[in-house]
Amino acid sequence: MRRLAERARIPLETELQPGAADTRHLKDRLFQIHEQITQRWQAALAAGEAGQMARDYLARRGVSAEAVQLFRLGCAPEAWDDTVNWAKGKHYEWPLMEQAGLVVRKEGSDHYYDRFRGRLIFPICDEQGRVVAFSGRILTGDEKTAKYVNSPETPIFTKGKVMFGLDKSKRALLDTHQAVICEGQLDLIACFMAGVKNVVAPQGTALTSDHTRLLKRYVEEVVLCFDSDNAGQNAAVRSLDSLLASGLAIRVAMVPAPHDPDSFIKESGGGAFAQLIENARGFFDYYLDRLCALHDPATDRGRRAIVQAMAEALHKTGSEVLRDTHAQKTALRLNVAAEAMRQEFKKTARPPAVEAEESTASIESIESIEQAARPTQHEWWLLRVLLENNDQVDWVAAHLDVAWLPSPDAREIVAQRLRLGHDWPGAAAWLGQPENSRWQSLVSEILADSRPIPDAAALAQGSSTRDGIVKILRDKEIERRLAECNRKLAAPDAHEAASGGLLEEMQRLRQLKKQPLAAKSDQDC
């Protein structure tokens, strides 16, 4: 309304809540700062020695001058005080620059330094095209530096509510009634410049319910087009819940390995990529293939996992038609009777309250199979502590059982990290080993996370016996095992003798949860 009123030169009379005028003023100033620094970084990229490395990188990646101009790409000079000095010249207050996420205060002092240094800059715009944040890619090849640095959340930027490219693609979204969702900025730029303009990308986070509500205003269907590696496919599955809640139809486009959308377009052309999107499969057809690749359909355990995950995912749709259709397809894949599969799908369905209560209990559930691939917040913090230094490694190795980590990726990374101990070569050198390259994206994202960890030492060791992250992980594992015991007790075919043993086990686990964390040699979990 404000923007329309400004265009029409109509003064608006508004009834403001207390503090609303101050909030509006702050946001206007932040928008102004972001626009000005965007222009400064654009100029640095366009000419001069500071932008040469970035220009060379863009040339190697095949990013055209037209794309650079359209997406307003820039370059932050390799200096600790370039933005600091610019802010001084503009007479911007330091607290305001810090709120903008452009400078960082040196701990324990009043000195500030630039957040973005020696990086190719991607401006992140809101739906109206205003620059609200930045993502900076490293150019020097420094193995100890995170590949990407992103703006923190600010009064004008919440990463779970902003989609990169939406300001450019919204007309194409409305025309096609379809959104192609990819992972990174360069993938999106490649798609857009190749003629697939109905494309967006989440900004440094998984697809959220806010993202899907935003897309619902433009489209009726989304096509997920993530990388062909395991991390990319896990990201596609993690998007299911928020997409289903929005009522959007879902398809999945598989980019042939080892490509991502950018490299595929460069090798095969925009027409081939458009055909790939056109031929995208329905989500549940894709998901059945994914489950059959993760679990052996020739074994009883594998079949149970496939049936459980398919049934729970389809139950979330609330559609009997979809459930029956894919019960038949699952039955055909597993070579069983369709009616038997329908009955299995019905048994899996739970009332919402029960489903929420038992979501951690079903070890073959979609959450445990796929969402566990993404580290939980506590795993994320533990990984940051262990990846960034050696200070806590001995204590964690003595007290942590890696089986407590629900994410397979976190479990394996932590196990390797603890095994190496003080011989840890650093995250960059470790990722440089071919067998570890599959974690490149995850580890880079963890190391690029600039949010302060609330007392890193306490997170690892605990400032008391109650608040350490290792104890939290242990207690969550106990809760999972208690939930599993509850599930077995509730089973209609549970035997009385077995029930007695389960009750004893539950009592033991409850007692264990009350005890302080002990070294692994003294643990009973």
Side-chain angles (χ1 to χ4, degrees):
M1 188 187 300
R2 289 182 71 249
R3 288 171 66 84
L4 288 172
E6 288 167 5
R7 288 184 185 180
R9 295 183 175 84
I10 298 173
L12 273 185
E13 294 183 8
T14 56
E15 189 175 315
L16 297 176
Q17 297 295 322
D22 292 339
T23 300
R24 169 51 56 190
H25 179 65
L26 171 62
K27 289 184 176 181
D28 286 343
R29 295 195 73 194
L30 292 176
F31 284 130
Q32 180 185 42
I33 290 172
H34 279 74
E35 176 58 31
Q36 290 176 349
I37 199 71
T38 297
Q39 294 178 18
R40 177 177 176 82
W41 285 337
Q42 281 184 283
L45 176 62
E49 185 178 347
Q52 188 60 55
M53 191 176 295
R55 293 194 295 273
D56 292 344
Y57 173 79
L58 291 169
R60 289 196 303 272
R61 295 298 300 261
V63 180
S64 67
E66 181 187 0
V68 170
Q69 188 68 25
L70 179 63
F71 287 90
R72 305 189 66 186
L73 304 189
C75 173
E78 181 65 76
W80 289 88
D81 58 359
D82 184 78
T83 300
V84 167
N85 291 332
W86 173 82
K88 286 180 183 177
K90 293 286 186 179
H91 304 292
Y92 286 130
E93 305 93 334
W94 294 124
L96 181 65
M97 290 298 296
E98 194 172 11
Q99 272 193 294
L102 294 172
V103 301
V104 180
R105 185 169 64 175
K106 188 176 180 180
E107 190 173 354
S109 76
D110 292 327
H111 297 291
Y112 291 83
Y113 58 90
D114 296 4
R115 181 181 297 275
F116 298 97
R117 307 178 302 277
R119 292 177 179 270
L120 175 66
I121 299 294
F122 298 87
I124 312 302
C125 297
D126 65 8
E127 202 174 348
Q128 300 172 36
R130 297 173 298 188
V131 180
V132 295
F134 300 97
S135 181
R137 191 195 191 284
I138 193 170
L139 295 166
T140 60
D142 185 349
E143 293 184 347
K144 295 183 178 180
T145 305
K147 183 182 287 188
Y148 282 93
V149 166
N150 299 312
S151 292
E153 295 199 349
T154 70
I156 61 172
F157 173 62
T158 303
K159 64 181 181 180
K161 295 182 178 181
V162 175
M163 302 205 79
F164 181 70
L166 179 59
D167 59 308
K168 310 288 190 305
S169 64
K170 57 187 178 182
R171 173 49 55 190
L173 297 178
L174 288 168
D175 290 343
T176 60
H177 308 292
Q178 177 194 81
V180 177
I181 301 178
C182 59
E183 286 187 275
Q185 290 104 350
L186 286 171
D187 284 338
L188 182 142
I189 292 171
C191 294
F192 194 92
M193 301 310 292
V196 180
K197 297 182 183 294
N198 55 323
V199 59
V200 291
Q203 181 51 43
T205 182
L207 203 65
T208 68
S209 56
D210 287 316
H211 287 144
T212 55
R213 279 195 293 270
L214 186 61
L215 289 174
K216 183 68 173 175
R217 292 159 51 184
Y218 294 93
V219 302
E220 299 165 358
E221 178 187 66
V222 299
V223 178
L224 302 173
C225 186
F226 293 162
D227 290 355
S228 55
D229 60 14
N230 197 52
Q233 299 310 299
N234 285 335
V237 175
R238 285 197 303 273
S239 304
L240 176 64
D241 283 358
S242 57
L243 288 169
L244 287 177
S246 70
L248 290 163
I250 316 165
R251 293 193 290 145
V252 180
M254 293 288 291
V255 181
H259 290 296
D260 55 27
D262 180 33
S263 63
F264 180 82
I265 288 170
K266 285 179 173 55
E267 181 172 297
S268 304
F273 183 75
Q275 193 63 45
L276 198 72
I277 299 301
E278 181 68 25
N279 295 335
R281 306 174 64 203
F283 178 86
F284 290 104
D285 292 326
Y286 154 81
Y287 191 43
L288 180 56
D289 283 349
R290 173 83 174 146
L291 290 170
C292 289
L294 287 170
H295 306 281
D296 185 358
T299 66
D300 289 342
R301 181 175 180 177
R303 284 193 293 272
R304 282 196 300 269
I306 293 165
V307 172
Q308 182 80 14
M310 281 295 292
E312 292 194 6
L314 284 159
H315 180 61
K316 294 175 183 178
T317 68
S319 169
E320 288 297 332
V321 173
L322 280 176
R323 191 182 304 175
D324 188 72
T325 299
H326 292 284
Q328 295 180 56
K329 290 184 177 182
T330 307
L332 185 63
R333 178 66 68 89
L334 300 183
N335 197 27
V336 298
E339 185 56 36
M341 189 61 65
R342 291 189 188 97
Q343 292 302 317
E344 285 297 314
F345 275 24
K346 286 180 181 177
K347 280 167 40 178
T348 302
R350 296 283 191 272
V354 176
E355 186 173 30
E357 182 180 340
E358 296 185 358
S359 60
T360 58
S362 179
I363 58 174
E364 291 89 16
S365 68
I366 182 175
E367 183 175 1
S368 297
I369 293 170
E370 296 295 349
Q371 291 185 357
R374 182 75 174 176
T376 65
Q377 185 65 74
H378 295 100
E379 289 177 306
W380 187 276
W381 284 334
L382 180 65
L383 283 164
R384 274 188 63 188
V385 170
L386 293 175
L387 290 171
E388 290 176 351
N389 57 68
N390 280 321
D391 297 344
Q392 308 293 341
V393 67
D394 291 336
W395 189 94
V396 174
H399 292 79
L400 174 76
D401 185 341
V402 293
W404 299 342
L405 306 180
S407 161
D409 283 347
R411 202 158 49 236
E412 196 164 347
I413 293 170
V414 169
Q416 287 202 39
R417 175 67 183 92
L418 296 180
R419 195 179 307 122
L420 288 168
H422 290 276
D423 294 328
W424 174 247
W430 180 75
L431 285 173
Q433 299 170 16
E435 64 271 23
N436 300 326
S437 60
R438 63 188 185 278
W439 292 309
Q440 177 78 47
S441 176
L442 173 62
V443 171
S444 297
E445 187 180 352
I446 290 170
L447 294 176
D449 187 350
S450 59
R451 294 173 299 171
I453 300 176
D455 190 355
L459 281 170
Q461 298 184 9
S463 55
S464 74
T465 57
R466 298 181 61 187
D467 60 358
I469 192 172
V470 176
K471 184 175 185 297
I472 291 171
L473 289 166
R474 183 203 70 175
D475 291 350
K476 286 184 176 294
E477 171 63 16
I478 292 173
E479 289 167 7
R480 281 193 289 271
R481 289 168 63 173
L482 283 168
E484 177 64 13
C485 289
N486 267 320
R487 187 183 68 82
K488 291 178 179 177
L489 280 171
D493 55 349
H495 297 293
E496 185 174 345
S499 296
L502 287 169
L503 289 170
E504 290 178 5
E505 173 67 1
M506 291 173 72
Q507 181 64 22
R508 185 189 70 81
L509 289 170
R510 291 191 185 103
Q511 289 297 322
L512 180 61
K513 190 177 177 183
K514 296 176 183 177
Q515 297 174 12
L517 189 67
K520 279 193 289 190
S521 57
D522 301 321
Q523 287 172 8
D524 187 27
C525 179

